[in-house]
Amino acid sequence: MRIIETVAEMQAFSREARREGKSISLVPTMGFLHEGHASLMIEGKKRADILVTSIFVNPTQFGPTEDFDAYPRDLARDRNVAETAGVDIIFAPKASDMYPRGFQTYVNVEELTLPLCGASRPGHFQGVTTVVAKLLNIVMPHVALFGKKDFQQLAVIRRMAADLNMDVEIVGMPIVREADGLAMSSRNAYLGPEERRNALCLSRALATARDLFLDGERSVGTLRDRVLRVIGEVSGAVIDYADFRDGDTLEAVETANGRTLIALAVKIGTTRLIDNCILGEEQ
Ligand code: AMP
């Protein structure tokens, strides 16, 4: 495994690999890698000759009061996780190389970024789509893999790739969870022991709603009440959003079906966690 730290070197590597007829897969991350990231890498390795993972805590997707500075970073540990998962190249650029002086071009996806995290984190998705577009231009992958943990992000990136005719296959991968149901996240490192227990209310709320749905309940009002009740039982859990939306368009729905998305963002203490499920999909 090799670590590439500059945009120019990464582009030169990919250009040469493509010239040799090799296929490239890309798993973009912000590092502090866990098994969720590793699952994307293992699949990425199967889908191409060369697996690149980027590790870049992207400043443009954090709001001014968000956790950019505090975001956990551990490149030494990440190297081990990536190597074990079969990564060939870690691309770890500096912010000054990604956003040099004079930078002023951004990618915006419109409707899909309005609800959910787009509403509670203004500017977040513009930062995400811009950095992903840049990474796709730099790494030039044939395939790029993203987790359904960030469901809206995956939808937004698919839209961007289609709308801008990007010559890359976007692959969505299932959410990897801890044994007790908590969706893996680098931000779980922020949780103290009691918060870690409280954080289970997200996956518990989703499972409760999903069980009700599988028993035949279709009223979003009823399902939402149950979700709110499960989360409300936990003191120190503050809901940012608990939304029922169409899994393709992200439009609000009042009657649930198998493609209905339940998307949660909940603050546990100072840590904002997200989780989601599609009601008709295997978990
Ligand atoms: P991040 O480093 O949090 O930006 O995540 C990088 C990629 O890993 C994104 O595509 C995430 O959706 C994905 N990812 C993060 N956590 C999980 C998880 N628990 N299961 C599956 N994919 C994940």
Side-chain angles (χ1 to χ4, degrees), residues 214-233:
L214 293 177
D215 283 347
E217 183 59 63
R218 294 293 179 270
S219 157
V220 162
T222 305
L223 295 168
R224 180 184 286 117
D225 284 347
R226 288 299 288 273
V227 165
L228 299 184
R229 203 187 314 159
V230 171
I231 298 172
E233 281 162 5

Side-chain angles (χ1 to χ4, degrees), residues 13-259:
F13 175 91
S14 290
R15 208 180 294 121
E16 180 60 16
R18 279 186 165 251
R19 207 186 52 76
E20 289 169 4
K22 294 195 174 126
S23 59
I24 303 172
S25 56
L26 171 66
V27 175
T29 81
M30 298 204 300
F32 214 68
L33 302 177
H34 50 66
E35 285 172 47
H37 298 116
S39 72
L40 273 55
M41 293 167 187
I42 290 164
E43 181 64 24
K45 182 77 176 177
K46 290 186 196 149
R47 288 178 178 251
D49 301 319
I50 297 171
L51 169 60
V52 179
T53 193
S54 56
I55 297 182
F56 180 59
V57 185
N58 173 37
T60 64
Q61 72 189 69
F62 288 81
T65 61
E66 292 184 351
D67 58 341
F68 175 72
D69 289 328
Y71 198 84
R73 294 159 169 91
D74 187 346
L75 188 58
R77 192 170 145 276
D78 287 349
R79 282 172 80 138
N80 286 325
V81 177
E83 188 145 36
T84 306
V87 169
D88 298 295
I89 306 285
I90 291 181
F91 175 50
K94 295 209 165 33
S96 57
D97 199 12
M98 290 291 275
Y99 300 107
R101 190 188 290 270
F103 183 91
Q104 53 188 285
T105 304
Y106 296 90
V107 178
N108 262 313
V109 172
E110 299 200 340
E111 276 95 19
L112 282 177
T113 64
L114 295 178
L116 307 172
C117 287
S120 43
R121 303 185 67 190
H124 168 66
F125 283 117
Q126 187 192 69
V128 169
T129 43
T130 300
V131 80
V132 171
K134 286 170 66 66
L135 290 168
L136 295 174
N137 282 335
I138 295 163
V139 178
M140 298 178 259
H142 299 79
V143 186
L145 299 96
F146 297 85
K148 294 182 184 172
K149 159 86 182 351
D150 300 272
F151 191 93
Q152 187 179 17
Q153 169 175 282
L154 172 62
V156 166
I157 288 167
R158 280 193 197 286
R159 189 76 253 164
M160 170 186 76
D163 288 354
L164 297 183
N165 309 97
M166 293 175 164
D167 190 15
V168 61
E169 182 190 355
I170 305 295
V171 175
M173 294 290 293
I175 301 175
V176 177
R177 297 176 180 281
E178 304 283 358
D180 60 8
L182 180 67
M184 290 191 184
S185 165
S186 307
R187 289 190 168 98
N188 292 347
Y190 295 144
L191 301 170
E194 192 189 337
E195 291 173 333
R196 173 66 183 72
R197 281 192 296 279
N198 289 344
L200 289 175
C201 70
L202 285 88
S203 53
R204 199 160 55 229
L206 295 175
T208 304
R210 191 160 175 276
D211 286 348
L212 265 182
F213 173 80
L214 293 177
D215 283 347
E217 183 59 63
R218 294 293 179 270
S219 157
V220 162
T222 305
L223 295 168
R224 180 184 286 117
D225 284 347
R226 288 299 288 273
V227 165
L228 299 184
R229 203 187 314 159
V230 171
I231 298 172
E233 281 162 5
V234 172
S235 67
V238 177
I239 295 176
D240 175 359
Y241 60 73
D243 271 13
F244 287 70
R245 296 195 169 255
D246 179 84
D248 298 310
T249 64
L250 302 188
E251 280 163 10
V253 293
E254 284 309 323
T255 304
N257 64 38
R259 282 296 301 158

